[in-house]
């Protein structure tokens, strides 16, 4: 097939823009020859269970799915009764970016809480964890947190544990949306289990697409006692892959030789380079009119600048507005972002913001 795009182009709009890591493509090719039993009874999906138990918990079980929305919908459905509600942040992906799928497909209610940094606390959860005996109110039966958050911030293991303790004390399950879990692990420098299973997370949406996979995510059940009918839910929400070996092979590739942590760590480093270079220019007085609205803890940089300037920069390098009313934009780095990409982007910004 004729290549239709410029393979040298890089943007800073989303880590979803990046291609597939070459080692992941190789893993898919290696899984391709011959026949394997379909619908998850293949050796790759079986091996994925062993790997997930090693990295998360001896009781953990992985259920590969096609995308993050599917992972979140199936995961939350499995821990909620029909009258259940989920406490999340106003910036959460399940609230803003899934087209109402949690409500439409799962039939659940979202209670959302505003936060300055995208992170919940027990005190914030408590504002909606109420009315348990009120038949007129949806019952808050789960808490959903995102790691890393939609604002690029990271929960420590202690912060996750505090939320889990509060949730469990109120008989609520704790779900973690881990679309960028690899970036969090790389930034925290700890094993997955430390801020998931050991911190009290009951069920996890485990991301891969944002870290170099084609189309593969997974639901990781950490506390089987809180989950019901996930096998059937995955099927009825159209997330059951017939040729599941190819999803599992992709996920396994991230664990193999530390590829996932290395790729996520590189993306984090590129975001740090981007922010650090701009902060240096600001300190030197070389540019003005630029601020930052969130700490850069993983692979996202949230900046504030005049909309007209952002639009001019965007004509040369693509990125998204986050809150146009506030002049807030988001710059994302990916596993394939290079130092030259960052430096070139910094130069474009410098040209538009020269003091």
């Amino acid at each position: 097939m004729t290549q239709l795009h410029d393979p040298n182009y890089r943007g800073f709009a989303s880590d979803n823009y990046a291609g597939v890591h070459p080692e992941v493509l190789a893993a898919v090719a290696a899984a391709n020859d011959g026949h394997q039993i379909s619908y998850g009874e293949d050796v790759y999906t079986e091996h994925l269970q062993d790997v997930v138990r090693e990295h998360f918990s001896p009781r953990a079980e992985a259920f590969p799915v096609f995308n993050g929305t599917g992972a979140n919908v199936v995961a939350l459905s499995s821990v909620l009764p029909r009258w259940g509600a989920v406490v999340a942040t106003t910036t959460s992906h399940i609230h803003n970016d899934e087209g109402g799928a949690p409500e439409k497909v799962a039939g659940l209610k979202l209670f959302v809480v505003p936060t300055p940094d995208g992170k919940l606390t027990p005190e914030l959860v408590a504002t909606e964890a109420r009315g348990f005996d009120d038949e007129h109110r949806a019952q808050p039966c789960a808490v959903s947190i995102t790691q890393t958050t939609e604002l690029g911030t990271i929960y420590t293991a202690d912060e996750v544990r505090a939320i889990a303790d509060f949730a469990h004390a109120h008989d609520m399950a704790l779900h973690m949306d881990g679309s960028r879990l690899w970036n969090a692990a790389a930034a925290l420098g700890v094993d997955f289990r430390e801020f998931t299973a050991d911190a009290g997370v009951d069920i996890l949406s485990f991301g891969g697409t944002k870290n170099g996979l084609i189309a593969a995510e997974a639901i990781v059940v950490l506390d089987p006692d809180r989950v019901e009918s996930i096998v059937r839910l995955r099927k009825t929400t159209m997330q059951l892959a017939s040729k599941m070996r190819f999803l599992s092979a992709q996920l396994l590739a991230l664990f193999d030789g530390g590829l996932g942590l290395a790729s996520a760590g590189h993306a984090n480093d590129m975001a740090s380079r981007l922010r650090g270079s701009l902060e240096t220019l600001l300190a030197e007085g070389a540019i003005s009119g630029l601020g930052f609205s969130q700490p850069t803890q993983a692979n996202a940089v949230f900046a504030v600048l005049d909309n007209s300037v952002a639009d001019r920069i965007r004509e040369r390098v693509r990125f998204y507005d986050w809150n146009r009313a506030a002049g807030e934009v988001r710059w994302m780095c990916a596993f394939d972002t290079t130092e030259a990409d960052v430096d070139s982007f910094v130069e474009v910004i410098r040209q538009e913001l020269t003091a």
Side-chain angles (χ1 to χ4, degrees):
M1 186 184 77
T2 302
Q3 191 169 54
L4 300 177
H5 75 291
D6 177 1
N8 297 312
Y9 173 77
R10 302 283 201 285
F12 288 82
S14 173
D15 36 11
N16 280 326
Y17 279 35
V20 180
H21 196 287
E23 292 185 36
V24 174
L25 285 176
V28 172
N32 189 48
D33 292 332
H35 287 202
Q36 278 286 298
I37 302 173
S38 57
Y39 297 108
E41 295 185 55
D42 60 273
V43 295
Y44 295 93
T45 304
E46 180 181 353
H47 183 48
L48 178 63
Q49 307 309 319
D50 295 333
V51 172
V52 163
R53 291 186 186 107
E54 176 187 351
H55 286 272
F56 288 95
S57 163
R59 301 180 72 203
E61 187 173 4
F63 297 86
V65 294
F66 295 114
N67 55 49
T69 299
N72 286 335
V73 168
V74 175
L76 291 171
S77 297
S78 72
V79 297
L80 289 176
R82 292 192 63 184
W83 52 86
V86 180
V87 180
T89 68
T90 54
T91 54
S92 64
H93 202 276
I94 59 174
H95 178 53
N96 286 297
D97 300 288
E98 291 177 345
E103 296 96 334
K104 293 176 181 178
V105 178
L108 56 83
K109 170 71 174 176
L110 293 174
F111 292 139
V112 294
V113 181
T115 74
D117 56 1
K119 294 165 65 173
L120 286 174
T121 64
E123 294 75 19
L124 289 171
V125 175
T127 63
E128 291 294 350
R130 55 184 173 79
F132 292 99
D133 296 322
D134 185 355
E135 65 182 291
H136 302 286
R137 189 173 193 266
Q139 300 299 286
C141 296
V143 178
S144 181
I145 61 177
T146 309
Q147 181 78 311
T148 62
T149 74
E150 289 77 10
L151 297 181
T153 51
I154 296 175
Y155 288 95
T156 65
D158 287 343
E159 289 171 331
V160 176
R161 167 54 69 184
I163 296 170
D165 288 347
F166 179 91
H168 294 160
H170 292 79
D171 198 26
M172 302 168 71
L174 178 58
H175 164 256
M176 179 178 282
D177 180 347
S179 63
R180 294 187 175 94
L181 201 76
W182 292 96
N183 300 91
L188 291 170
V190 301
D191 293 336
F192 285 127
R193 69 173 66 238
E194 186 169 328
F195 62 92
T196 59
D198 290 353
V201 176
D202 298 304
I203 192 165
L204 166 72
S205 298
F206 183 51
T209 308
K210 291 179 171 62
N211 197 26
L213 302 193
I214 302 171
E217 315 275 318
I219 302 153
V220 179
V221 175
L222 300 172
D223 184 355
D225 296 335
R226 287 191 176 270
V227 173
E228 292 185 5
S229 303
I230 195 165
V231 172
R232 291 178 175 83
L233 285 167
R234 180 174 59 172
K235 175 64 174 180
T236 57
T237 51
M238 298 172 285
Q239 287 291 321
L240 178 62
S242 57
K243 296 185 179 181
M244 196 179 296
R245 59 170 153 161
F246 298 110
L247 275 65
S248 298
Q250 293 178 64
L251 292 161
L252 286 169
L254 291 181
F255 288 103
D256 190 19
L259 176 65
L261 285 176
S263 296
H266 173 78
N268 293 354
D269 289 344
M270 293 302 97
S272 294
R273 182 183 184 91
L274 173 58
R275 177 154 181 168
S277 298
L278 292 171
E279 287 179 333
T280 297
L281 291 174
L282 285 167
E284 294 172 347
I287 61 174
S288 62
L290 176 69
F292 299 97
S293 55
Q294 295 291 339
T296 299
Q297 297 179 340
N299 63 324
V301 178
F302 284 81
V304 178
L305 67 167
D306 186 85
N307 287 328
S308 62
V309 176
D311 289 341
R312 290 198 301 271
I313 297 171
R314 191 167 19 235
E315 291 177 1
R316 300 168 64 181
V317 182
R318 188 176 176 87
F319 57 87
Y320 290 128
D321 289 322
W322 186 260
N323 180 355
R324 191 165 179 87
E328 186 179 28
V329 300
R330 187 191 71 170
W331 297 325
M332 296 295 302
C333 295
F335 78 89
D336 62 348
T337 303
T338 67
E339 292 184 356
D341 295 334
V342 172
D343 296 345
S344 176
F345 187 36
V346 169
E347 175 59 20
V348 171
I349 296 170
R350 185 199 66 77
Q351 293 172 10
E352 294 295 341
L353 290 174
T354 299

